[in-house]
Amino acid sequence: MARCPAPPHRAAEARAAATAFVAQLHPTPSARTVQNLLLLSSELVTNAIQHAGAVTALSFKADSDTLHVRVADPSPAHPQSRVPDLTGRTGGFGWPMILRLAHRVTIRPLGREGKIILAVLAR
């Protein structure tokens, strides 16, 4: 497992961490899989910042068949799907995108300390 030394404060930091993680993998996943991992990481971190106020941890893991991205945040509230705002003011696109890109998404409550969202995609 690869943990980020400090929680990211921006989606760009999450993408950089995901890129560094993928660079250590052998064999390297396909370009499409890497792109999906970057997008998942970016969206999970963006959602945590926008809806929970912060990211408390970001980590990545790989096995022979899957890649995992894990984001922890301080809010116990689970993500909610909502109608996307086509005017671009309130969003609503991130969570459905995460659910489409990931093979599996699980949410683990941490009580008063928030939650962990784990997204798994095929390698």
Side-chain angles (χ1 to χ4, degrees):
M1 180 181 294
R3 287 193 173 99
C4 293
H9 298 288
R10 299 182 336 220
E13 295 170 6
R15 289 189 301 273
T19 299
F21 169 71
V22 167
Q24 299 173 11
L25 297 178
H26 299 287
T28 303
S30 72
R32 182 178 181 151
T33 299
V34 172
Q35 188 175 34
N36 287 345
L37 179 68
L38 295 174
L39 190 52
L40 276 172
S41 303
S42 184
E43 288 298 323
L44 286 167
V45 164
T46 296
N47 283 357
I49 292 167
Q50 286 183 340
H51 301 291
V55 173
T56 55
L58 171 65
S59 62
F60 300 93
K61 180 180 169 185
D63 59 34
S64 60
D65 299 319
T66 58
L67 300 176
H68 304 236
V69 58
R70 183 179 310 221
V71 175
D73 69 52
S75 172
H78 284 222
Q80 300 294 313
S81 291
R82 51 195 171 97
V83 176
D85 178 2
L86 298 177
T87 66
R89 287 181 288 206
T90 61
F93 295 94
W95 187 244
M97 186 183 315
I98 290 165
L99 295 176
R100 277 193 305 275
L101 288 172
H103 174 70
R104 182 176 70 247
V105 177
T106 56
I107 302 168
R108 190 176 92 203
L110 296 174
R112 292 183 179 198
E113 296 178 20
K115 66 183 167 297
I116 294 173
I117 299 179
L118 171 65
V120 179
L121 60 150
R123 188 166 177 173

